[in-house]
Amino acid sequence: MQLYDKIIDLDRLEMTLLELCYEGSGVSKKEFENINLEQMQAELVTGTFKFSAPKYLSNEKRKYSSFGLPERLITKMLFSDLADILEPIFINNLFSHRKNKSYKHAIINLQASMQKNLTGSILRMDIAKYYDSIDHKILLSMLEKYVDEKTINLLQNMLACFGVNGKGIFSGSSLSNLFGNLYLATFDRLITENFANSTYLRFVDDMAVVCKDMKEAKELKEIAELYLDEKLKLKLSPVKSFLREVNEGCVFLGYNIFPNELFLLENYVAAANEELDSILLGKSRLTNEQIKTKVKNVKARLKNTCETTLQAKVEKIYQILKMGGDFSKLQQQPPINAITTEKKPILEQQSLQSSSLNACCDYELPTNLQNYRIEMQIATEIQSLNILHLTPWEAFLCVKKWHENILRRELT
């Protein structure tokens, strides 16, 4: 059975639609009610189906495309089949968007290779505007080896929605990631077959090669630039591509990697610090579940690194969540002038060891408060601590404990 026969199967179209709905892929009620699978199948059979122009979403780094529901059905089916067909042609050290491989494995493998080649050199390569530079004809010629003509025509129809002058593919989907892996597959084999004694790793268009010496690294770079230009119409980024000795470290996939040390890049550390501080001070406007996801992602990036400050903040947030602290309540506090001075009976003081109170008091806050008079600054301290979800008396005890345990210690 040819690939196109699988795509036009009505039962599979229906199953894929249900999978998209089940996976939470943003299928709206209106989209679901308006889609006509029988008509869509008929257009696919006759070859008259046309991809609609996508919508574009963007963040600070990249522009993403968003297809309509019919197009998402087709790209999902195409990815499912093409991934199985193309997987055998990829080298082992391609770590992007593949089962049981990730950027973490790329980092581990690169550092291990550096440890084995302490006197060697590293060639770091990055393609300038990779997705925008992928040539449609070259990509389709690669795919022609594995799929039938009707599928190629469908893919050509899809690619025509993107780029300028036959260059540029969409980003933001599994299929585009697969194309990104495929487009450099011949380049991967060129490097691994001609420089078998070097260690070559790739994640999409981020590449690193550990060579025995600088001479070999420079030779490899010349060959790589020539092949990329002549065969794939790609250029190396002059900013992100460089040659270094192994002991000087290598910037790769958001890390500064040394043979025996691993650091996150400064811009990520600064952004993560800002996010974690915002969470700890109750200014993040995230739910506890969102905070758990955010902190889990940061923790994954921190694994095996030397970033002790970030690690301490992550562990602090985990402790607060484990103790039952609810960060989302910090967003619902009354204004500072709404606090009364009413005190609870003194017998209730012993029952104030709540998780939220302990969490606030345990968080290490600034200590440059020597000139503060605690009796005159209670309201200010409560506001800076973001503990307005506590009663006035609980807040007073928390500030008092902070004053006794931190301020006096600093003064002595």
Side-chain angles (χ1 to χ4, degrees), residues 211-395:
C211 304
K212 64 179 181 180
D213 53 37
M214 186 60 71
K215 180 182 178 181
E216 183 181 64
K218 289 179 179 179
E219 179 186 352
L220 196 156
K221 185 173 185 288
E222 290 179 3
I223 293 174
E225 286 180 317
L226 185 63
Y227 185 90
L228 290 170
D229 182 36
E230 292 185 351
K231 301 295 184 180
L232 301 177
K233 299 182 180 180
L234 299 174
K235 300 287 185 182
L236 290 181
S237 167
V239 177
K240 297 181 180 179
S241 302
F242 53 80
L243 288 161
R244 283 185 185 171
E245 302 292 348
V246 163
N247 59 14
E248 293 178 317
C250 177
V251 176
F252 190 57
L253 300 180
Y255 291 86
N256 201 356
I257 306 168
F258 293 86
N260 297 303
E261 291 182 307
L262 188 63
F263 298 92
L264 285 163
L265 297 185
E266 290 184 6
N267 57 348
Y268 178 85
V269 172
N273 265 314
E274 186 176 348
E275 283 188 317
L276 297 182
D277 286 342
S278 178
I279 290 170
L280 284 165
L281 294 173
K283 297 178 180 179
S284 66
R285 297 187 178 181
L286 301 175
T287 65
N288 272 17
E289 287 304 314
Q290 290 172 323
I291 288 172
K292 287 178 184 178
T293 301
K294 179 77 68 176
V295 175
K296 182 180 178 181
N297 292 336
V298 174
K299 188 172 184 178
R301 298 286 292 183
L302 285 171
K303 188 175 182 180
N304 299 324
T305 68
C306 303
E307 308 294 345
T308 55
T309 302
L310 273 180
Q311 187 65 51
K313 290 181 181 180
V314 166
E315 294 304 323
K316 180 59 65 176
I317 294 173
Y318 271 128
Q319 288 175 17
I320 294 173
L321 291 170
K322 187 176 180 179
M323 293 165 64
D326 189 350
F327 289 97
S328 62
K329 289 183 179 179
L330 299 180
Q331 325 304 329
Q332 306 167 3
Q333 305 169 46
I336 189 69
N337 56 12
I339 297 179
T340 67
T341 57
E342 179 184 358
K343 295 184 178 181
K344 287 189 173 183
I346 193 144
L347 292 177
E348 293 187 25
Q349 295 180 23
Q350 296 178 356
S351 65
L352 296 177
Q353 305 301 319
S354 65
S355 59
S356 59
L357 177 60
N358 289 332
C360 286
C361 295
D362 287 342
Y363 176 51
E364 293 185 8
L365 294 159
T367 58
N368 58 340
L369 305 171
Q370 289 87 338
N371 296 325
Y372 280 23
R373 289 180 55 84
I374 198 69
E375 297 81 5
M376 303 297 293
Q377 295 293 337
I378 290 177
T380 303
E381 308 305 342
I382 293 172
Q383 190 175 37
S384 66
L385 279 166
N386 280 275
I387 55 173
L388 296 181
H389 63 292
L390 304 178
T391 66
W393 186 242
E394 288 173 336

Side-chain angles (χ1 to χ4, degrees), residues 114-130:
M114 293 169 71
Q115 291 171 350
K116 293 177 182 178
N117 298 273
L118 295 175
T119 59
S121 300
I122 293 179
L123 169 60
R124 170 76 169 87
M125 294 182 287
D126 185 281
I127 306 298
K129 298 181 179 180
Y130 180 49

